[in-house]
Amino acid sequence: MCLAIPSKVVEIHDGMVIVERFGERLEVTTGLLVEPLAVGDYVVLRARAHVVAKMEPQTAREALTLFNELAEKLADDLESKSDHEAA
Amino acid sequence: MGSARATIGGIEGSLRIQVEVDSGVVSNVRLRSQRPVNSGTLLEDRPVQDALDLLPRIFSLCGVAQTAAGLAAVENAKEVSLTPPQIAARNIMVAAEALEQTVWRIIVDWPTCLDIQPDVAGIRDLRRLLRSLEGCMFKTARWNRIGGSQLAPEPIKLAEIIDSVALEATRIIFGDSDTRLADYACLERWLRQGGQLGSSVLHYVRNNGLEEFGSCAVEQLPKRPDSGFLAQQLANDADWSFCAQPHYHGNIFETGPLSRLADHPLVLELRGRHGNGLLTRLAARLVDANELVANMRSWVDELCEDRGATANGVDGCGINVIDTTRGVLVHWVEIADDTVKRYRILAPTEWNFHPRGPLTQGLRGADAWAGEALVKNAGLLISALDPCVAYELDIVEH
């Protein structure tokens, strides 16, 4: 149940790829991909460490919208639990 | 009003495992899951087919299994019966994804636990082959239609691809194309040959006397659990507590290959010798790779041209329990006006990484070894139980 949160490639040098998502930067492996990556590409990670797929920019934007929605729902749940505990 | 806030990192979630060591023995294990068990809410208030279309976009590793489970739950709610060829085609799709995941565990995750260089690129060709199966079964680009999509299978091509899958998977895992772990003698023979990433890991386990490491008394969830019980729990799971920490009739269970392969001769033999410790668990994953290919072959024989059933506007509740690479995955849905009203997903990770589940029970009381070794050994046990998210392991010495 690993979520397909899009990550953006921000650095490539000396065979090392750095991706970023919501301010978090991660160094990842890309050995599974056949196609080359460029800075600005969106990718999907496995266990925050391995690129498992490249993602079209439009698909990535739609996915980011979805996961923002989930973030808001998570925050709502947490808030209602806090309210319940405080009551 | 509380000040709680979920970050995007919190969405993906992780497992936080704290192992406490006292006088050389693991005295306590605390497991805290931060996984988003409420991801089903993303599907709510959407037309049913739109919701199903989202599943492969939400889940990166198990999108096929999630889609198959979601489809079947919706079909259960709508009282739509699938034909045997449609069931076989979906089974092949799910098995193909499971095989890729299983091979990844063996050649990437297991070696990583022991600081052995993994072989990420080694899986590329197998992945390409597995992904070509869909186009040889379905006539349309979308296989996730309620009632099934139009099937126009190409049996000769499918058989050729599955032959190639079998060769490639066995080559990657076992080093040659003939190895089948049919029984204990086969395992011994393969280990004597050595030289593979998987066999190196099993040698580590045996050389360090870790065959029974992680053994515990947690029982296996039945292969086909009572879906009525699960449906009732999920329907009443307003606060997601059952999705977060499931039980089956009040007891904690484990799910995965040990349950699925309980009758396999090698798994039976290893259980008799070492219980459900590390060697048995790792060997079961290896056997699973063989079995998945064999199952794919048998399902190809059931394929034929089929148009699928017609979708209808029936509302109601439905459930599906599907066996995936990590274990039992459950989807439950409530539909009204052809729109998803409520959706619940119960993933295998929640059984296997329950705070009182097989990981915590298996580690508690274990020999702690030196701290560095405990990190490796616990890492292997975690990998054998196969979480679908990253984990943080913290060893605290008292």
Side-chain angles (χ1 to χ4, degrees), chain B residues 174-176 179 187-196 199 203:
Chain B
F174 300 112
D176 61 57
T179 301
L187 177 69
E188 287 290 339
R189 200 160 46 242
W190 178 58
L191 288 175
R192 275 197 300 276
Q193 289 167 5
Q196 302 306 309
S199 59
H203 276 299

Side-chain angles (χ1 to χ4, degrees), chain B residues 139-184:
Chain B
K139 202 170 180 178
T140 57
R142 278 176 48 173
W143 68 275
N144 65 340
R145 199 181 71 81
I146 298 164
S149 300
Q150 190 155 12
L151 276 173
E154 301 174 58
I156 295 172
K157 207 167 167 186
L158 279 166
E160 285 172 0
I161 294 171
I162 291 177
D163 282 347
S164 301
V165 163
L167 287 171
E168 186 64 7
T170 45
R171 183 193 66 74
I172 294 169
I173 299 171
F174 300 112
D176 61 57
S177 55
D178 297 324
T179 301
R180 302 279 180 279
L181 296 187
D183 53 30
Y184 193 77

